[in-house]
Amino acid sequence: MEGAEAGVREGDAVAGDLLALGYEGFPGTVALGLSCPDFRAVCARLAAELATLGALKREEGTEVLSASDGPGAEQEFLRQLAGLLQELHCPDRALCGGDGATALQEPSACLRLLRFLCTELQAARLLCLHPPLDPSQAALPPSGKEAEEGAGMVQELILTFQALGMAKPTLGTPASRLLWELHAKISELLPSLPSGSLQPLLSYSLDAPRWEALESLCQSLRVQYCCRRCLLLKRLDLTTSAFHWSDRAEAQGEAMKAVLIPIRERLTPESDISIAHVLAARADLSRLVPATSKAARQGTCCAINKVLMGNVPDRGGRPNELEAPMPSWQSRREDGSWRKAGRQCWGRKKKKK
């Protein structure tokens, strides 16, 4: 009973594969077998499309499987089927054995044959949509942006090897070999680090909602970094423009532009922060260290900090040193009103009610 149900499920699965490939009119499991012309016709159509897609080496006009209905048609079909399965490297030993006729008497073997041909046809169609790269084109060196990206990755890899104290990788070494050597070296150095070092900032497994939250976080970081870079670049533009106001800049203006413009063009507000940077962040990144702390000053201290400025002229500008203004004096007016000379003209304040 269970075997019959499994056979029905297998038949339904094969029928679904044929419908997905565009083949309709699949015969039922009762009619499966070499004696069924519909079964041989379906196999012949699948093999013919495989040959059309280039999965089989056949001359144009040559029939892969015979679907004729006449005396000796089954024997001819079996002979052609044995060569087809051998060329496709079929892993089913029962089908590829010497007694294929006996094996195909069972409906399960016929279903396995149809399932194998369907999967081969699906793979052939995918290869036609995404053809493999031509070896002659693969040998050509990359150019343009691809060459710059490749050179950048190679440089980063060389710096990683230098930081770990490893020898510079030789040209032509496979990438898998380099990654294996890096993994072995890092695994060797990790036990020598203090406990708690290199703890990841993200310590939870990432499911679909967390990946979305991580993408949102990465996008927020990009916007924040872009805003900061825009501010710094604006300050840089204003600072460099101030140098052109002096008299000496009129003579050296073109030389200054020749030096500054190429450097400025390489500075863009867009940030290259990606999810990889967020995943690589460690727990110590969330600790805020003051810029004036002793640990921070060890990395920022330089010789220019010891240079002292000399005496500069006093430009004033201190309001507490300014004298109060003198009061105004008025004499007798033409309209007859007068004020006593020597008295300050102060307005009387009204009493508060």
Side-chain angles (χ1 to χ4, degrees):
M1 189 69 180
E2 295 180 358
E5 293 179 356
V8 172
R9 290 196 299 269
E10 184 70 17
D12 294 339
V14 174
D17 292 342
L18 289 172
L19 289 175
L21 291 171
Y23 292 86
E24 300 178 355
F26 174 69
T29 56
V30 179
L32 287 177
L34 288 177
S35 59
C36 178
D38 293 334
F39 173 75
R40 297 198 303 269
V42 170
C43 293
R45 289 178 60 186
L46 292 172
E49 187 173 354
L50 283 171
T52 303
L53 296 175
L56 301 174
K57 296 180 180 179
R58 290 289 188 279
E59 296 181 1
E60 188 176 355
T62 305
E63 190 177 25
V64 182
L65 287 179
S66 175
S68 59
D69 187 10
E74 297 180 11
Q75 297 299 327
E76 181 65 18
F77 179 83
L78 285 174
R79 185 186 65 81
Q80 295 174 346
L81 180 63
L84 172 66
L85 296 178
Q86 184 178 2
E87 186 175 356
L88 293 175
H89 304 283
C90 179
D92 196 325
R93 296 183 178 181
L95 296 177
C96 297
D99 196 1
T102 304
L104 291 176
Q105 295 299 328
E106 300 179 1
S108 61
C110 298
L111 289 174
R112 294 200 309 271
L113 175 61
L114 289 176
R115 171 62 66 87
F116 173 72
L117 293 178
C118 288
T119 55
E120 289 293 320
L121 182 56
Q122 291 172 357
R125 289 182 178 181
L126 288 176
L127 290 176
C128 288
L129 293 176
H130 305 282
L133 185 63
D134 190 1
S136 60
Q137 295 180 359
L140 295 176
S143 59
K145 186 177 181 180
E146 295 181 358
E148 295 179 0
E149 293 179 356
M153 288 187 290
V154 171
Q155 186 64 26
E156 291 289 339
L157 191 59
I158 293 175
L159 292 176
T160 304
F161 270 76
Q162 292 178 356
L164 295 175
M166 302 174 62
K168 183 179 179 181
T170 58
L171 186 63
T173 306
S176 58
R177 176 70 180 178
L178 297 178
L179 293 177
W180 182 84
E181 293 179 359
L182 284 175
H183 183 270
K185 185 64 175 180
I186 293 173
S187 300
E188 178 186 350
L189 296 176
L190 280 178
S192 62
L193 296 176
S195 60
S197 300
L198 298 180
Q199 293 296 327
L201 190 60
L202 297 176
S203 57
Y204 297 96
S205 59
L206 297 177
D207 50 9
R210 287 176 177 172
W211 274 111
E212 295 178 358
L214 184 60
E215 177 63 28
S216 176
L217 173 63
C218 187
Q219 182 63 27
S220 300
L221 288 176
R222 290 196 194 100
V223 175
Q224 183 66 234
Y225 292 157
C226 182
C227 180
R228 296 183 182 184
R229 289 165 71 98
C230 287
L231 176 61
L232 293 176
L233 290 176
K234 189 64 176 179
R235 289 181 176 178
L236 176 62
D237 294 338
L238 294 175
T239 303
T240 54
S241 63
F243 285 98
H244 294 273
W245 297 345
S246 63
D247 297 335
R248 295 180 58 188
E250 295 181 359
Q252 302 293 334
E254 296 299 329
M256 293 168 61
K257 291 180 180 179
V259 175
L260 293 175
I261 290 179
I263 300 175
R264 178 62 182 86
E265 289 178 349
R266 293 195 298 266
L267 302 176
T268 58
E270 290 78 14
S271 175
D272 57 352
I273 298 299
S274 62
I275 294 184
H277 294 84
V278 181
L279 293 175
R282 300 303 171 189
D284 55 356
L285 188 64
S286 59
R287 302 172 187 169
L288 300 179
V289 180
T292 57
S293 64
K294 184 177 180 180
R297 287 295 295 160
Q298 290 179 355
T300 59
C301 184
C302 58
I304 197 173
N305 298 136
K306 300 179 182 180
V307 177
L308 300 178
M309 296 181 61
N311 297 329
V312 295
D314 187 6
R315 294 179 294 177
R318 291 176 289 274
N320 58 338
E321 296 181 1
L322 297 178
E323 296 181 358
M326 294 296 293
S328 59
W329 301 87
Q330 297 181 354
S331 60
R332 187 169 181 172
R333 298 180 180 178
E334 296 180 357
D335 56 359
S337 62
W338 60 277
R339 293 183 184 272
K340 185 176 181 181
R343 291 187 60 185
Q344 297 181 1
C345 183
W346 304 101
R348 294 184 179 180
K349 296 183 180 180
K350 295 182 178 180
K351 293 182 180 181
K352 295 183 180 180
K353 295 182 180 180

